[in-house]
Amino acid sequence: MVKVVILGQGYVASIFASGLEKIKAGKMEPYGVPLADELPIKIKDIEIVGSYDVDKAKVGKDLYEVVKAYDPEAPESLKGITIRKGVHLRSLRNLPLEATGLEDEMTLKEAVEHLVSEWKELGAEGFINVCTTEAFVPFGNKEELEKAIAEDNRDRLTATQVYAYAVAQYAKEVGGAAFVNAIPTLIANDPAFVELAKESNMVIFGDDGATGATPLTADILSHLAQRNRYVLDIAQFNIGGNQDFLALTDKERNKSKEFTKSSIVKDLLGYDAPHYIKPTGFLEPLGDKKFIAMHIEYVSFNGAHDELVITGRINDSPALAGLLVDLARLGKIALEKKAFGTVYEVNAFYMKNPGPKEMPNIPRIIAHEKMRTWAGLKPRWL
Amino acid sequence: MVKVVILGQGYVASIFASGLEKIKAGKMEPYGVPLADELPIKIKDIEIVGSYDVDKAKVGKDLYEVVKAYDPEAPESLKGITIRKGVHLRSLRNLPLEATGLEDEMTLKEAVEHLVSEWKELGAEGFINVCTTEAFVPFGNKEELEKAIAEDNRDRLTATQVYAYAVAQYAKEVGGAAFVNAIPTLIANDPAFVELAKESNMVIFGDDGATGATPLTADILSHLAQRNRYVLDIAQFNIGGNQDFLALTDKERNKSKEFTKSSIVKDLLGYDAPHYIKPTGFLEPLGDKKFIAMHIEYVSFNGAHDELVITGRINDSPALAGLLVDLARLGKIALEKKAFGTVYEVNAFYMKNPGPKEMPNIPRIIAHEKMRTWAGLKPRWL
Amino acid sequence: MVKVVILGQGYVASIFASGLEKIKAGKMEPYGVPLADELPIKIKDIEIVGSYDVDKAKVGKDLYEVVKAYDPEAPESLKGITIRKGVHLRSLRNLPLEATGLEDEMTLKEAVEHLVSEWKELGAEGFINVCTTEAFVPFGNKEELEKAIAEDNRDRLTATQVYAYAVAQYAKEVGGAAFVNAIPTLIANDPAFVELAKESNMVIFGDDGATGATPLTADILSHLAQRNRYVLDIAQFNIGGNQDFLALTDKERNKSKEFTKSSIVKDLLGYDAPHYIKPTGFLEPLGDKKFIAMHIEYVSFNGAHDELVITGRINDSPALAGLLVDLARLGKIALEKKAFGTVYEVNAFYMKNPGPKEMPNIPRIIAHEKMRTWAGLKPRWL
Amino acid sequence: MVKVVILGQGYVASIFASGLEKIKAGKMEPYGVPLADELPIKIKDIEIVGSYDVDKAKVGKDLYEVVKAYDPEAPESLKGITIRKGVHLRSLRNLPLEATGLEDEMTLKEAVEHLVSEWKELGAEGFINVCTTEAFVPFGNKEELEKAIAEDNRDRLTATQVYAYAVAQYAKEVGGAAFVNAIPTLIANDPAFVELAKESNMVIFGDDGATGATPLTADILSHLAQRNRYVLDIAQFNIGGNQDFLALTDKERNKSKEFTKSSIVKDLLGYDAPHYIKPTGFLEPLGDKKFIAMHIEYVSFNGAHDELVITGRINDSPALAGLLVDLARLGKIALEKKAFGTVYEVNAFYMKNPGPKEMPNIPRIIAHEKMRTWAGLKPRWL
């Protein structure tokens, strides 16, 4: 059994909840869940015990009602969990939503204590952070982070940072907890949090779930690198109509994507081929099914120039939600292994920006095999 | 030093010869050569010592003249080698070329002896077979093959089969030789030849050089498999304007492509997703730079349907020629290791249809690392 | 009011029937119907009065039941029409269906009389031919056609040819009828039928409904021609999973597509740019939503080479069905105008192979305006 | 004969000059020139008599030297024209170039007089404005414009506006001159300039040469509109490596593209389908050959959803340069016709933003025919 708390009950979390329940009920195949039922902890062992949000229209509502807005075929087994109030700290800024958060009524320190006490009640083991993309600055060292909390510094902290801090306090008190950071805010890549995790019996997976075009780009670049083809340039566009794309039209937030290892190109090719890789725009009717377009030009043998173009329509939220079904379980496995801090073997496959900070991107196809080995499974092809 | 004989001085062999000389002269980077100069045998150690063809317009000409027709910037260092007469056995059937071959003057057995004696003179160590795609039937056992040669059975044998047989005879006499089969005719996948190779000090690499869309498809399918995305269908088209595409308009030959492990889809996905993967047509102005188009549809988490489309312009001959620069050297390394028969570790990365017969396709990204290990190099990411 | 009889109750005819009823009931917008409700004859004026097929599993069934197999949301207003037995003449050859036809019980001449008498009962005004693609040979002159009917020459005639002949007999007797030939068999391009139509008060629209990639190609080629860009080559693939694609895997039928004005390229560019434009394959899971891929390479100013690639997923049957909603009404308008024979102004926009035989393809964007003018509507942009 | 002065000797103007001379010398086909040699004024009748720039590295150099930097095969017949100093007014802001302009030495009024006097010497008849994209604000009425010049208001005016004003003065004095505005600054769409032109014997063509993806989009949207397909959304990206794309990374300039009739979508579809159509980024190795990607989703008959994706590599400068070869000649024809002000028939085909202000975009395929008629040529298909 893994008891899971959701932080941010938006599109991804709702598809996660809906798909999970359908699989548990035997009504759907576990497609999109990389490890399906290979792990000792089965999909049916995952139990959602709590959910937090800061959208006034969601807080206090039943989970089923919220999920249904994203997936009309949400199963009724989701009924019975009430969305609780979390922390926002400007995370809904510029979005067409009204925010409500614990910090409206208390200090951040008090909010942390409030959350910890709720989580004890819920018996939470894993936390899945799928808040809206935030404008943030990493801390770098633990002292700065602790100071910001102590001083109630609301301009310095983001919701994700407060949540991760609260999970650390909780883990310390109850003997262990896992925090899956699926959004771009640096947590597994912020030494402040990794250090804190190590001394708090906390496991961090992060950062930024590896969905969409980036992991595919990674494997295609690896493919070219292995043939010693010289990449001249890479252009990659993404456009979508969900709230994540809307949030990225907010320039400050978009910058937060820039902390993403732009070194993915250099990590895989061995040189920094000129590239333009960016979420590009918001186009409402595309909905959650984004359109991607990628162009790669390279030099082959005898100076020949080749070109590849990849386009696609990809459902954004299900791609991430499927990974979360693994990550929830791998979190518990990491706790059992006492792998406190962060786990590169897991991050390298599941995350766009695999922590810890100093570690590189590697081809996903190879990362997958390493992750399997870490999780005690046989590699598929190695 | 590796002394190499070319069998079939067409587009691929000419780009191979031209690019090789340019790299040796320091005038070009070894792009498209997967192992570049990482091997103990360097690119400059490769020496072309002989070349065979059956096109009346080529036999007797200087190698430089022939190469220049394919690459106007062919280096003059190619001068001094005269194209010798090989064996055709209908391989130019339906092509707008006049064929001339040793079999016009002697039996196949005599032709084999003739070739062996020429190769002794040349001191050949490696043979690169880049004949035109043939209509063929594999032998299955050595006795059938030997019988066909003995009986001068010209309807049963193809040029590639006769060449491979001759190389075996040569290897037995001189103590070792490598045969790189870069075309679809089954040699490394024909137990008849593998058996013959083992008892003849011969190394076979094959079959069908892994260029173009197929290895990329392999890595993309692996990418999807690792995320447990359920592939609904795969369509892949190729159209080009070089002689290889012209040859494939000949229906009988096209069938020979069908012996290619159509199991690539099953090998990588674990199930046989419906697919249409075929060279599609000949369109002269495309020349050697083929156009590829691929469509893949799959199911992601919570039943979401995604689609990928990959298109590209890829120079066909350089893609294969670059691999040959490695294969020529790996052949010699295999001889040094006495790895007689065929070498799956090499084939799995470099070949569309990796022999021996019973072995599967695996993701190319992983095959590359295994091949490096086999060759005594450090893996890059494992 | 236009009373319409359907010949071939397959995918296209079923989507036509279903969509038509939904629009008539105000439940759906007339998207995909070029002239929507601009014509004096409104969409709600179209009434399906009869339907013919030769699939044993369909003949005798209620139209509603048959349509529902193609569109689960078929409206119940389709109930009450029974599928009647038509003529097959090998049109189901090599398809996984059991055929039944009037010719199994009588001569073709008798079948024609039988049909004419049924149609009189139904009061039919327009006939929509959407049979399966046939292997056929055009007649060229009326005498040959009449002879084939008289001699009951079943090897010479196809179902479409017999239907068209029967409609001519019917039109002569009742004073007028329109035959819309939406499949590749040449009718509007066969002088035999055009001549027959003129003397029988019959209007023919044809041949081969302009759906899918071809009309788009036409407009893109016109776009390039108007800028005097020199087209080097055109490759166009189509792959689908409906019965029409399955039928085209039958080589003989596929040839019938070759009578299609391959001169579309020459008509629009003014020279015959090398091209490969073909339906390519059958891939069942694609269903009715085909995948198209097109590559065009051209020379621009100062010798620059440009490339365009167009890919898409296009629902095959709705694209044609929407055109039929116009053609049914334009047929009646042509009868009112006594435009017996065939009407190039209509064909040039709606048909891949616009009859009569000697007439060229023109840009669809211009053809549309001319067709509007013919139909008494104001051009939109001229 | 048409005597032409170039304003802005960058990539487009250099390809224009180079290609023009090659065609005149019979060394190149007039591909990319829509009207080729159909006009009474032939291509060989165009003579470049002067060229202006504000890049310190270009002013004072020979035209041949400048053109050669863009086209290594520039013909020597370009020798003998010296690049003269123009007006910059911040047009090189944020670009890696040092600017030099007449306004550094005199008032704008004096600069205008200086230019007029030079042009009289040169006997100029047509002016081709291909300056770098500018940040600008249109004037709206003539008085404002005249006031800005009189007051030497350098913050209000852009180089293009000053050039257009100067050409008006020149036209008034010599009896006629044509100004072709191939960049986004509104001139033909600014009533201030159209009014000025009418009273000055000046012809304006503009604004913003219709190259790249936009006119193709126009024709594809028209194609869909004519079939009454309901467009759900349109995404269009462009990325390139020439100076024009670099300039657009400057946010203020990029905004100037926004004055472009965003109503192209509404003009052609009849409703404002949600769209994202923007130049997206700068990627140096792409050079002048930009990469475009477009995605269009629409509803067809019976509620079916279709998708089209168009990608391409398009040489930016030659596409525009080819149009200029027509526009230079059409300018003279307009002068002969005394069509002072602006000419919608010409603009509708050749310009992204066809003036005058109140006129809509129409399908290019139709605009082409109307333009031919205006120019005294037979339409091709009407």
Side-chain angles (χ1 to χ4, degrees), chain A residues 219 223 306 309 311 315 381, chain B residues 219 223 306 309 311 315 370:
Chain A
D219 283 337
H223 179 93
D306 293 353
V309 171
T311 61
N315 288 277
W381 289 300
Chain B
D219 283 337
H223 179 93
D306 293 353
V309 172
T311 61
N315 288 276
K370 292 190 172 186

Side-chain angles (χ1 to χ4, degrees), chain D residues 82-124:
Chain D
T82 303
I83 310 293
R84 291 162 191 255
K85 195 186 286 185
V87 167
H88 57 85
L89 290 171
R90 311 173 311 285
S91 65
L92 298 190
R93 194 180 64 124
N94 290 347
L95 293 179
L97 303 169
E98 199 179 340
T100 180
L102 295 171
E103 78 265 39
D104 303 340
E105 305 152 34
M106 52 186 96
T107 65
L108 291 175
K109 205 165 174 357
E110 287 162 350
V112 166
E113 284 157 14
H114 176 95
L115 290 168
V116 168
S117 107
E118 285 192 344
W119 297 341
K120 281 184 189 162
E121 246 173 72
L122 298 170

Side-chain angles (χ1 to χ4, degrees), chain C residues 219 223 306 311 315 370 381, chain D residues 219 223 306 309 315 370 381:
Chain C
D219 282 337
H223 179 94
D306 293 354
T311 61
N315 288 277
K370 293 190 173 188
W381 290 298
Chain D
D219 282 337
H223 179 93
D306 293 353
V309 172
N315 289 277
K370 293 190 171 187
W381 290 298

Side-chain angles (χ1 to χ4, degrees), chain D residues 146 166-177 196 199-202:
Chain D
E146 281 165 343
V167 172
Q169 302 314 304
Y170 173 73
K172 199 186 289 181
E173 296 190 27
V174 303
L196 184 66
E199 64 185 42
S200 312
N201 297 333
M202 180 195 191

Side-chain angles (χ1 to χ4, degrees), chain A residues 48-293:
Chain A
I48 299 171
V49 296
S51 170
Y52 288 76
D53 208 284
V54 292
D55 176 353
K56 216 166 189 168
K58 287 179 185 168
V59 174
K61 279 261 180 67
D62 192 274
L63 178 57
Y64 171 72
E65 292 306 322
V66 171
V67 170
K68 223 178 140 181
Y70 296 99
D71 181 359
E73 292 169 30
E76 303 215 352
S77 59
L78 288 165
K79 283 183 179 166
I81 291 171
T82 304
I83 310 291
R84 291 161 192 256
K85 193 186 285 184
V87 167
H88 57 85
L89 291 170
R90 312 171 311 286
S91 63
L92 299 190
R93 194 180 63 125
N94 291 347
L95 294 178
L97 303 170
E98 197 179 343
T100 180
L102 294 172
E103 77 265 40
D104 302 342
E105 306 151 33
M106 53 185 99
T107 65
L108 292 175
K109 205 166 174 354
E110 286 163 349
V112 166
E113 283 156 15
H114 176 94
L115 290 168
V116 167
S117 105
E118 286 191 343
W119 296 343
K120 280 184 190 165
E121 246 173 72
L122 299 170
E125 295 166 294
F127 296 83
I128 291 179
N129 181 49
V130 275
C131 287
T132 306
T133 301
E134 308 165 331
F136 73 97
V137 178
F139 277 94
N141 69 70
K142 210 185 57 171
E143 291 66 35
E144 285 299 314
L145 165 63
E146 282 164 344
K147 200 176 138 216
I149 295 280
E151 292 177 355
D152 201 40
N153 190 341
R154 293 160 184 235
D155 289 340
R156 181 68 184 83
L157 286 153
T158 66
T160 295
Q161 289 167 336
V162 171
Y163 284 140
Y165 180 84
V167 172
Q169 300 315 304
Y170 172 71
K172 200 188 285 180
E173 294 190 28
V174 303
F179 183 78
V180 176
N181 180 42
I183 75 158
T185 305
L186 296 191
I187 300 295
N189 281 280
D190 186 342
F193 283 99
V194 176
E195 198 187 336
L196 185 66
K198 280 183 186 157
E199 63 185 44
S200 312
N201 297 332
M202 180 194 191
V203 169
I204 299 171
F205 293 152
D207 298 316
D208 206 5
T211 62
T214 303
L216 184 61
T217 306
D219 283 337
I220 290 172
L221 293 182
S222 314
H223 179 93
L224 297 174
Q226 288 188 333
R227 281 154 189 79
N228 197 26
R229 291 172 183 163
Y230 185 74
V231 175
L232 294 169
D233 49 71
I234 307 160
Q236 187 193 300
F237 310 121
N238 298 277
I239 188 163
N242 63 22
Q243 195 178 281
D244 203 38
F245 279 92
L246 181 58
L248 289 172
T249 59
D250 178 12
K251 260 161 215 157
E252 226 181 290
R253 264 183 240 261
N254 207 333
K255 256 181 218 152
S256 80
K257 282 268 178 189
E258 288 172 17
F259 285 100
T260 294
K261 287 193 168 73
S262 71
S263 55
I264 183 165
V265 170
K266 198 170 175 193
D267 283 349
L268 296 173
L269 294 180
Y271 52 91
D272 200 27
H275 56 278
Y276 179 100
I277 303 184
K278 281 197 195 160
T280 307
F282 174 72
L283 189 57
E284 203 274 336
L286 291 174
D288 192 50
K289 200 171 181 179
K290 69 185 168 192
F291 171 66
I292 61 159

Side-chain angles (χ1 to χ4, degrees), chain A residues 329-340:
Chain A
R329 298 180 292 164
L330 292 169
K332 176 109 180 223
I333 289 171
L335 290 176
E336 285 165 1
K337 290 186 173 218
K338 299 196 182 301
F340 304 127

Side-chain angles (χ1 to χ4, degrees), chain A residues 35 38-42 329-330 333-334 336-337 343 345-346 367-380:
Chain A
L35 299 177
E38 294 189 74
L39 288 173
I41 304 176
K42 301 299 167 196
R329 298 180 292 164
L330 292 169
I333 289 171
E336 285 165 1
K337 290 186 173 218
V343 181
E345 286 86 350
V346 170
H368 181 84
E369 297 288 47
K370 291 190 173 188
M371 178 273 291
R372 292 177 69 91
T373 306
W374 176 88
L377 301 173
K378 277 211 316 198
R380 213 187 284 198

